[in-house]
Structure formats: structure tokens, C-alpha cells
Amino acid sequence: MDLNTAIKSIVKEYLQNEALCDLIYGTWGSSSIKIDNRPLVVPLEMVDVPKGLTVTIGARVSLIQKHGGQRFAVIGVIG
């Protein structure tokens, strides 16, 4: 790998890691949320839910995943 290619690769990886959050979708369960297209199940202890929002089991939700993936926030319930 030449120097130019190495620098491009480093910059590309850096920019991908600097994404502050991701918009993701999942299905609300009794104690977790199953994230679409990922083998990831998020326990509800890691999820912030807006006050007054009611979510039923089996509902589809949209979430924001915090940078680093350790916290999630429900944006809303998908019709």
C-alpha cells in the first residue's frame, strides 16, 4: 500500500467513526428492542423514552443510537 492510499484509508475510517449518531429501526419487546437487520437486542435499560410516549409490545419504533452505541433514544412509534 502506498502512502497516498494509506492516508485516504485512515481519513475514511476516521470520518466513519465520527458519525455522532445513527437512525435505526426496531421492534419493541417486553424487556428489549430487536434492531432490524442486526443480531442486536438492546435492553430497555439502555433506551431513553420520551415522557408520555406509550409503546406496546410488538410496535415498530424509530431510534437514535448515540455515538459509541451505548445509549438509544426512541424518536417515535412507526404506524
Side-chain angles (χ1 to χ4, degrees), residues 26-55:
T27 303
W28 190 275
S30 61
S31 63
S32 63
I33 298 175
K34 170 65 175 92
I35 305 301
D36 291 356
N37 302 321
R38 297 186 192 176
L40 183 61
V41 177
V42 179
L44 293 182
E45 295 83 36
M46 295 175 60
V47 179
D48 297 324
V49 181
K51 196 175 214 172
L53 181 67
T54 303
V55 184

Side-chain angles (χ1 to χ4, degrees), residues 2-70:
D2 65 13
L3 181 61
N4 190 34
T5 305
I7 291 172
K8 286 179 182 180
S9 176
I10 291 168
V11 170
K12 179 181 177 184
E13 289 178 26
Y14 172 79
L15 292 175
Q16 288 175 342
N17 289 334
E18 284 303 307
L20 297 178
C21 63
D22 287 327
L23 176 64
I24 57 177
Y25 299 93
T27 303
W28 190 275
S30 61
S31 63
S32 63
I33 298 175
K34 170 65 175 92
I35 305 301
D36 291 356
N37 302 321
R38 297 186 192 176
L40 183 61
V41 177
V42 179
L44 293 182
E45 295 83 36
M46 295 175 60
V47 179
D48 297 324
V49 181
K51 196 175 214 172
L53 181 67
T54 303
V55 184
T56 58
I57 295 174
R60 304 263 308 127
V61 293
S62 56
L63 306 127
I64 292 179
Q65 180 179 10
K66 182 180 174 188
H67 180 69
Q70 297 302 311

